[in-house]
Amino acid sequence: MILTGTAACTSDGDRPTAKATADIVCEGGAYSWFNVDKRDVLTGVADKEKIGKKGARLTHKLAPLHTARTAVTFEKGSREGDAKAALRSLAVLIGEANADDDAVSTEFTNVHRSVPDLNSGSITIDDVGTFVQYAWVKQVTADFRYTCQDGKPVTGRATGWAIDGSGLLECSTPIKNVKEGQPALAAARLSCDPDAPAAKT
């Protein structure tokens, strides 16, 4: 199923539409999106740290596992495609930008966006236990086709991230409502003991 992201010439029901700005390729075109994949990805995790008294600060640094990236690759047609316009269209599709606003007001479209700093803060624990810090992003990857009346179709893939977050888990405490693939479970399995309650679904 093809999802229409932005279109200057047509409107597809209640789906988001906005003016396409890839003037280098052709004017008045439309982006069609498919293979849209949104998932939370673990970007960093620290070794488990045992805290034996209240009011202790965690000292273990997070090790990077995955680097969040913003990029657009053009596979067919013009190699001079507008990366920012493609990301803008994807941002509208996933709700990160307003279809009625011509101005780009989201970092999602910034191909030079800085990756999150995994160790920018500190955490103080007010309880005893074995704790693990972790970080994650909501990564979005999708394939697209850009078409218009007077230019050759362009296909490609766009990758970005919408949210970056961090978390803390305690190895002896099961994680509520956790599902396979979620960052908290992945972090527990990497840093807690294999039989730790937090590492089980």
Side-chain angles (χ1 to χ4, degrees):
M1 179 178 179
I2 294 179
L3 301 176
T4 300
T6 65
C9 305
T10 62
S11 176
D12 189 5
D14 293 330
R15 289 176 180 170
T17 60
K19 183 179 180 181
T21 57
D23 297 329
I24 298 177
V25 179
C26 55
E27 295 184 359
Y31 288 95
S32 297
W33 293 95
F34 53 100
N35 297 331
V36 180
D37 180 61
K38 293 191 293 183
R39 65 179 68 190
D40 294 340
V41 179
L42 186 68
T43 54
V45 66
D47 291 335
K48 63 183 179 181
E49 191 164 353
K50 189 172 183 179
I51 300 298
K53 62 178 181 179
K54 294 183 179 181
R57 186 171 64 87
L58 296 179
T59 60
H60 291 180
K61 298 294 186 181
L62 278 72
L65 297 175
H66 172 83
T67 301
R69 60 190 297 264
T70 302
V72 178
T73 57
F74 298 93
E75 298 174 354
K76 293 182 180 180
S78 173
R79 296 287 177 175
E80 300 298 326
D82 190 331
K84 189 172 184 178
L87 289 166
R88 160 76 173 155
S89 173
L90 181 57
V92 171
L93 180 70
I94 65 173
E96 286 297 309
N98 188 340
D100 298 324
D101 185 1
D102 287 335
V104 177
S105 58
T106 172
E107 273 291 283
F108 188 86
T109 65
N110 183 5
V111 294
H112 303 295
R113 186 181 188 182
S114 299
V115 299
D117 185 351
L118 298 179
N119 294 290
S120 60
S122 62
I123 297 177
T124 298
I125 301 297
D126 293 326
D127 203 353
V128 297
T130 301
F131 296 89
V132 173
Q133 299 181 73
Y134 63 93
W136 58 276
V137 296
K138 183 174 289 295
Q139 179 175 282
V140 184
T141 301
D143 296 318
F144 66 85
R145 178 181 175 90
Y146 180 83
T147 55
C148 55
Q149 294 180 352
D150 57 353
K152 294 182 179 180
V154 176
T155 61
R157 168 167 288 197
T159 300
W161 48 279
I163 300 172
D164 64 273
S166 61
L168 180 70
L169 63 91
E170 202 281 312
C171 291
S172 66
T173 304
I175 304 171
K176 295 181 179 180
N177 303 318
V178 70
K179 297 179 180 179
E180 289 291 340
Q182 292 186 340
L185 182 60
R189 288 177 173 173
L190 284 170
S191 294
C192 296
D193 293 333
D195 58 348
K200 301 176 182 179
T201 55

